[in-house]
Amino acid sequence: MEEEETELRNPFPSPPSHHTKYTTRNLQLLELLRDRAGGADISTVNQYELLSDQTDVPEWPMVQLEKPRVDWILEEGQYTVFGDTWFIKEQIPSLKELGGHQLYPEDPSEDRRPALRKILHSLLVTYSHLVDSLLAPPPIASTTVQPEWQRQLEWITVLAQNIMAAANDLRPVQARVNLELMMKRQLELRREETRAIHEKCDSLEAKLAEMSSAVRTLSNDTRTNKSDRNGPAHEVRSPLQL
């Protein structure tokens, strides 16, 4: 009981029971079996005869230790892990493959908008008929004919399944378009940020140039004022000239 509760509390599935067979000794025996088989399929040879001189030869077929055949996986397009089947290439099954009544084209390259408009129009008309059938008097109890409202409801279910399946088929396209829009928006934001940085740099350069010009003008004015205060320079004569 405790083991069952532990298994239920574990969010991940337990590994298969044969994982304990992958010991170092068993892998060595598998390699020896391959060498002695001489290139033959080890599933067709008698492992006990080829490994008669070895000890601890397992009772189960050692071919179970072989790695999965990748070529088989590629050929089948799927593989199984812990009892779950996974496809190599993820694809959304169509409504027809799921056993439903598909009303739109199977080819994704074909324009589905006309078919979807017809489905939507049929859905609205069927809903109107459903309301009318609900307002009709109840049928006789002994009749075996299917009620009108039930037929309309079944057809609405088929139409709704087609709309949902068509929307699911467009999810990869929607994801690609959303990614393109997001990347374009990021590019626009970076361009705007770069433009703002350039404008700020230009503004700073203009201010620096203005400040530099003001400093030069102030320096020239200071020199001029000093020259005016000192007056004109007088010529000094030597005593010999006197």
Side-chain angles (χ1 to χ4, degrees):
M1 185 63 181
E2 294 180 357
E3 294 180 357
E4 294 180 358
E5 293 179 355
T6 304
E7 181 69 22
L8 292 175
R9 287 196 298 266
N10 188 7
F12 299 99
S14 300
S17 58
H18 64 269
H19 81 281
T20 56
K21 299 178 181 179
Y22 288 88
T23 61
T24 304
R25 175 58 179 168
N26 289 341
L27 294 177
Q28 292 176 353
L29 292 175
L30 177 63
E31 189 66 25
L32 182 60
L33 180 62
R34 287 202 200 99
D35 295 339
R36 295 184 178 181
D41 189 1
I42 61 175
S43 61
T44 60
V45 299
N46 191 337
Q47 65 184 26
Y48 302 105
E49 293 180 358
L50 296 179
L51 301 176
S52 58
D53 58 337
Q54 301 294 322
T55 58
D56 300 333
V57 178
E59 299 178 356
W60 39 267
M62 298 192 64
V63 70
Q64 296 180 2
L65 300 178
E66 286 282 6
K67 296 180 180 180
R69 292 286 300 272
V70 180
D71 53 342
W72 291 356
I73 295 176
L74 296 176
E75 182 180 355
E76 295 179 359
Q78 62 185 13
Y79 59 94
T80 303
V81 178
F82 296 160
D84 296 331
T85 301
W86 301 87
F87 293 94
I88 297 177
K89 184 179 180 181
E90 291 293 338
Q91 58 181 2
I92 301 176
S94 63
L95 182 60
K96 186 177 181 180
E97 293 174 351
L98 295 175
H101 185 190
Q102 185 168 334
L103 302 175
Y104 56 88
E106 296 183 11
D107 188 4
S109 61
E110 187 175 351
D111 190 6
R112 298 178 177 179
R113 287 176 293 182
L116 293 177
R117 291 193 188 99
K118 293 180 181 179
I119 293 174
L120 181 59
H121 182 266
S122 179
L123 181 62
L124 296 175
V125 173
T126 307
Y127 181 77
S128 177
H129 292 169
L130 175 63
V131 175
D132 293 340
S133 62
L134 292 176
L135 297 176
I140 303 174
S142 60
T143 183
T144 58
V145 180
Q146 186 180 16
E148 179 66 20
W149 64 267
Q150 189 172 356
R151 292 197 297 270
Q152 301 297 337
L153 190 60
E154 291 177 355
W155 184 238
I156 287 178
T157 303
V158 173
L159 296 174
Q161 289 176 352
N162 277 267
I163 293 177
M164 294 176 61
N168 288 333
D169 292 343
L170 293 176
R171 288 186 183 276
V173 180
Q174 181 184 12
R176 183 168 59 252
V177 172
N178 290 339
L179 179 60
E180 292 177 358
L181 293 177
M182 183 177 62
M183 295 179 67
K184 289 180 179 179
R185 180 55 183 165
Q186 291 180 354
L187 183 60
E188 291 176 358
L189 289 176
R190 291 187 179 182
R191 287 177 177 174
E192 292 176 0
E193 292 175 354
T194 305
R195 190 181 304 110
I197 292 174
H198 285 310
E199 292 177 356
K200 192 65 176 179
C201 291
D202 295 340
S203 176
L204 291 175
E205 289 179 357
K207 288 183 179 180
L208 290 174
E210 183 180 354
M211 293 173 63
S212 178
S213 177
V215 169
R216 286 196 298 268
T217 303
L218 181 61
S219 178
N220 293 333
D221 293 343
T222 303
R223 292 176 182 176
T224 303
N225 293 334
K226 286 183 179 180
S227 299
D228 293 342
R229 285 198 300 269
N230 293 334
H234 297 283
E235 183 180 359
V236 180
R237 296 182 179 181
S238 63
L240 296 177
Q241 292 178 346
L242 295 174

